[in-house]
Amino acid sequence: MAQEGPDMTEETECMIDRDVAKKLGGVESSGNVKEMRAVVLSGFGGLNKLRVTKKPMPEPQRGEVKIRVKACGLNFLDLMVRQGTIDCPPKPPLIPGFECCGIVESVGETTKRFEIGDRVMAFVNYNAWAEVVCAPEEFVYKLPEEMTFAEAAAFALNFVAAYMMLFEVANLREGMSVLVHSAGGAVGQAVTQLCSTLPNVTVFGVASSFKHAAIRDSVTHLFDRNADYIQEVKKISPEGVDIVLDCLCGENTGKGLSLLKPLGTYILYGASNMVTGETKSFFSFAKSWWQVEKVNPIKLYEENKVIAGFSLLNLLFKQGRSCLVKSVMDKLLCLYNQRKIKPVVDSLWALEEVKEAMQRIHDRGNIGKLILDVEKSPTPLMASDSTETSEAGEEEEEPEGDNDSKERMPFIH
Amino acid sequence: MAQEGPDMTEETECMIDRDVAKKLGGVESSGNVKEMRAVVLSGFGGLNKLRVTKKPMPEPQRGEVKIRVKACGLNFLDLMVRQGTIDCPPKPPLIPGFECCGIVESVGETTKRFEIGDRVMAFVNYNAWAEVVCAPEEFVYKLPEEMTFAEAAAFALNFVAAYMMLFEVANLREGMSVLVHSAGGAVGQAVTQLCSTLPNVTVFGVASSFKHAAIRDSVTHLFDRNADYIQEVKKISPEGVDIVLDCLCGENTGKGLSLLKPLGTYILYGASNMVTGETKSFFSFAKSWWQVEKVNPIKLYEENKVIAGFSLLNLLFKQGRSCLVKSVMDKLLCLYNQRKIKPVVDSLWALEEVKEAMQRIHDRGNIGKLILDVEKSPTPLMASDSTETSEAGEEEEEPEGDNDSKERMPFIH
C-alpha cells in the first residue's frame, strides 16, 4: 500500500506550535477575541496541508450548543476530504472532522434540550477537530453515564451508520448472513457487534491478515484481503450472503453483487478505493469514478438483487434526516446501556499528531477507531527504523529529500 | 398504442377446434392416451402464434399434484413470452401460463400436503393454460373456503409479488408513501390494497385516464400516464416518495429514481416497455435493453438511494425460494380471510379467447386481472365497428388484407 510521504514526521514536528501547546485546555485568549486550537486544512493534497493553528472561537447561534471538545473521531472520509476526493468539498482553508464529544459550555437562544455541563457527542458538517465546536442541537446527543469521551468519539458515526445499513436499508433478521469488506475498521467492528444482537447471524469478515488475531472472535469467518475471498465465501455458503457491506467500491462492487443471495442487499457506504497515495487526487478520483461498474436495473430484476448507497453525512447535512438519526441513536444508546455494544478504540492522538493518525488510517493499520484526544500532549518524537517509502505525488509537491524519518509512538488503547 | 394486428379475430375464429370445444370438462380422450385442451404457442411472435389444441395429459411425478384446472391468470409477462422478449425463453412449441387454480385430481408418490378434491392454486413454470396441470407441491397452496376460482387465479402471482416488494424488499411502514406506475393493473391493485393494511400510507398511482373513475378510491393521488406526473408528485410531496414500483423500465427508471426520498427504494418488477407492437421483437427488445439507463453505485451512495429488481418467477423457479414464498402466501391468505384484501378481476375469457385477452392486456385496457376460465365457452363472434388499426409487423408476417373485423364481447366481471 502506498505510504503518504517521507516528509510526514519532519513536517509534523515543524507544525507544533509550542505556544499553543502550553495552553492545552485554556479557555481564554490573550486579547479580547477568544481563540482556540484547531486542525486546519490549508488546501487539498498531502499530509503537509494540515496544521494546528489558532482560530477564532465560535459562539453558539440560535438553537446551537457550544461544546468544549474532549475528543474527536477520525474517519477514512477525513482522508478523502484532505485529498479533495469527495463530492462537492467546501473551499479550504477548513477545519476537518465530522464528529466530536465534550462538555456543553453554553447554549444559544431557543436551545432547549441541553444545559451547561451536559456530557454530549455531536455530528458536525466539518469543524470538529477543534477545542470548541458549535452544533445545532438536532445533531447533539447526551452521553450515557458510563460512556467515556474516547468511547463517545468512537461511537456516533460508525454505530449509527452500521445500524442504519443493517436495519433501515437491509432489514437484517435472525439467521441471515453479512459480508463486511473492512471487518477490522471502526464501522466493521460496529457491524459485527450489531449482528451479534440477533440470533444466528453469520458474519463473513475481510481484513488484512495482521489484524486477524485481534478480530477473529468478532466474526464467524475471516478472510485475508489479498486472498480470493469470493471463492472462499462461496465454498462455505454456495448460495451467497444476504448483505454485503462495501466501503471500497471499484471492482469490489461487481464481486459483492455476485456474492448476493436472491433478495440480498449490496450496500456501498464508502469509496476508499478512490483514495490513492497520489496528490493528483482529482484525476485519480475521476478515473476511479468512471471505472466503477455501472449496474443495469434489468440485471437486478433478473437476479432479484438490491443495490443501495449509504452516506450518513449526506443524510444528516444535505437531506435533513436528523429526526430519523436521533431515533436510531436512542436505540443504540439503549444497546450500549445493556452492554450489548461497545465501541472499539484503536488509538488516541493529540491534535498535533493528526498526520500520523491519518497515515495509520490510510495504511489501514487500525483496528477500531482512531481518536483525536484534544487534551493529550503530543508524544515526543523518537528516531525510528521506519520503513516508510517515498510517495511520488508527495515528493513532486515537496521535494525535501529528507529521509531522516522519525516517528511518534501512538497511545494504543 | 399499437394494436396487435387486424387479423386477430378472424384468426381466432379459425382457431377454435369444434371437436375440442364439445369436450369441455371431459376427462377422457377417444383413445388410450388421455388428452387435454391447452393453449399452445407455436413460435415467438404475434397473436397468430397461439392455438388451442389437444395435448397429452400430464401425470403427476413424485411430489407433484395433478390439478383439474378451473381458471388461469393472464399476466403481462405472458405477452412478453409470446414475443420472445424475456430472458432465456424455452423453445417453442410451449404451453404458456405461470399460475392456475382448480381441484386436485390425483397426487404423485411422496406428495404429502394434498388430497384428491382439495381446492388449490399453483405457480408453474409454464404449462398453466391447460385443462390439467401437474405442479410440485412446494408451489401449490390450498384455497380458503370463501375464495372463488376466479379470485384464486387473480391472487397468487400479483399479491405475492406486491407483498414481497412492499415488505421484503422495501420494508414499508406506517406513514410512508408509494408510487405505483400501473395502478390499474393487477399488481397495482394488489399494491394499493396492501398499502391500506397499514395506517397512513400515501399511494400515488399512475394510470391511463379512462381507468381513473374505476380506481380513484384505491389510491390517495391519481395521475394520468401521459401527464408530467413526476412534477405533480413533487408538487404534493416535494421530498419525494419512499417507494417507487416500476413495471415499465426504460426512461421511467431515471424518473423513478429522481422521485425517491433519501433511503427510498426503487423497485423494477417488470419491463413492459420492452413490448412493442412489432413482431421483430428481438431487435426492439435488444434496443430497449441497451437504452435502459444504468446506475452508478456512487450516485446511490451520494443520494442514499436503493435500487432493486424483483422477479417472483425467477425467485421461485431459478432461485429456489419456495419456502419464503409459502410463508408470504400464508400471511396473504390470513389477510384475505380477514377481508383486508380481495383480488380485483377484470374479465373472464375462454381458452379460445386468449388472443382477445392478450390484446386487452397489451393495450392496457384492463382494470385488475384477466382470467382464462377453462370451463367457459367462447362468446359467439359478432360484427363490430372495431377501430383497430393495422400493425406493420403483423401485416408483414401475415398479409391477409382482411379488414372485415369481428370481435367478441368479453365477460366483464
Side-chain angles (χ1 to χ4, degrees), chain A residues 134-175:
Chain A
C134 288
E137 64 176 337
E138 63 184 306
F139 303 125
V140 183
Y141 317 90
K142 281 182 193 163
L143 300 192
E145 269 184 32
E146 292 186 19
M147 190 180 273
T148 66
F149 286 120
E151 282 182 331
F155 192 78
L157 212 139
N158 303 137
F159 272 91
V160 170
Y163 188 97
M164 293 191 79
M165 289 193 287
L166 293 174
F167 298 107
E168 296 283 329
V169 179
N171 204 6
L172 176 69
R173 282 163 291 180
E174 183 178 344

Side-chain angles (χ1 to χ4, degrees), chain A residues 292-305:
Chain A
V292 169
E293 193 177 343
K294 292 175 191 64
V295 178
N296 188 327
I298 295 181
K299 195 168 161 65
L300 298 176
Y301 163 72
E302 285 165 2
E303 297 184 352
N304 276 305
K305 288 181 176 175

Side-chain angles (χ1 to χ4, degrees), chain B residues 248-368:
Chain B
L248 306 172
C249 200
E251 65 183 41
N252 297 278
T253 305
K255 281 187 193 172
L257 276 170
S258 76
L259 262 188
L260 280 187
K261 278 185 191 175
L263 299 184
T265 305
Y266 164 94
I267 307 179
L268 179 70
Y269 68 97
S272 54
N273 276 348
M274 300 286 170
V275 168
T276 68
E278 295 171 45
T279 50
K280 288 168 185 165
S281 52
F282 177 75
F283 183 72
S284 61
F285 171 69
K287 188 156 158 267
S288 302
W289 171 281
W290 289 111
Q291 281 175 348
V292 169
E293 192 177 345
K294 293 177 190 64
V295 178
N296 188 327
I298 296 181
K299 196 168 160 64
L300 297 176
Y301 162 73
E302 284 164 1
E303 297 184 351
N304 276 305
K305 288 180 177 177
V306 183
I307 177 167
F310 183 77
S311 159
L312 178 56
L313 295 174
N314 284 356
L315 202 67
L316 283 167
F317 299 121
K318 288 187 182 173
Q319 296 156 1
R321 284 298 179 283
S322 59
C323 285
L324 176 61
V325 171
K326 172 80 170 65
S327 73
V328 168
M329 182 64 92
D330 290 344
K331 289 174 200 164
L332 285 167
L333 292 179
C334 197
L335 289 171
Y336 176 86
N337 286 330
Q338 294 165 358
R339 298 170 195 271
K340 290 185 176 167
I341 57 175
K342 187 177 174 63
V344 176
V345 175
D346 174 74
S347 48
L348 297 167
W349 306 77
L351 291 186
E352 290 77 8
E353 295 166 333
V354 65
K355 295 183 188 187
E356 285 91 331
M358 263 203 184
Q359 181 71 59
R360 185 168 171 84
I361 206 168
H362 176 275
D363 297 344
R364 296 194 175 85
N366 58 307
I367 293 167

Side-chain angles (χ1 to χ4, degrees), chain A residues 253 260 298 336:
Chain A
T253 306
L260 280 186
I298 295 181
Y336 176 87

Side-chain angles (χ1 to χ4, degrees), chain B residues 80-94:
Chain B
M80 297 180 71
V81 168
R82 198 203 74 218
Q83 293 195 347
T85 54
I86 58 159
D87 187 44
C88 305
K91 217 180 149 194
L94 59 86

